Amino acid sequence: MVLEITDEKFDEVLKSDKLVVVDFWAEWCGPCRMMSSIVDELAEDFADKCVVGKVDCDANPEVCNKYGIRNIPTILFFKNGEIVDKQLGASPKQSMVDKITALL
């Protein structure tokens, strides 16, 4: 299941001992809507191996500013609270699977 992450909950989510995958998106963004179903599938496929969440950039500007999110969709991959990889723009599911698998 995909977590809806807010400014207030973001730091708590990063404390996970699992890989954390965060999709930064907005309702008005066409490529974000394309990635939404892929992110949902990744959350199911890797439910026991990583945490998958989404941050609505319009509703949560604090965390977006903190991580310098200028283009969406942006997907950040965190381990131990640190960014270890990122994906800018829409991408095929397999490339996301490959990134996650490499980071596990």
Side-chain angles (χ1 to χ4, degrees):
M1 177 163 88
V2 177
L3 294 175
E4 296 297 326
I5 306 172
T6 62
D7 283 342
E8 295 77 24
K9 294 191 310 186
F10 196 84
D11 288 337
E12 189 64 33
V13 173
L14 290 187
K15 291 179 183 175
S16 174
D17 59 350
K18 296 180 180 179
L19 176 68
V20 178
V21 180
V22 182
D23 175 22
F24 291 85
W25 69 284
E27 187 67 39
W28 49 264
C29 169
C32 297
R33 289 194 301 271
M34 289 185 337
M35 288 299 295
S36 182
S37 62
I38 293 172
V39 171
D40 291 343
E41 289 174 23
L42 293 171
E44 285 184 34
D45 295 349
F46 292 95
D48 58 337
K49 296 180 180 160
C50 66
V51 174
V52 179
K54 294 182 180 184
V55 173
D56 180 341
C57 292
D58 291 334
N60 300 284
E62 188 177 299
V63 72
C64 294
N65 286 335
K66 179 178 180 179
Y67 289 100
I69 304 301
R70 303 282 181 258
N71 300 305
I72 52 174
T74 293
I75 299 177
L76 298 181
F77 301 82
F78 294 87
K79 268 188 169 177
N80 302 317
E82 301 292 326
I83 297 172
V84 292
D85 203 352
K86 62 183 165 184
Q87 171 64 48
L88 302 176
S91 66
K93 180 181 178 184
Q94 189 58 51
S95 70
M96 298 297 297
V97 167
D98 292 345
K99 278 185 181 277
I100 291 171
T101 302
L103 292 168
L104 289 176

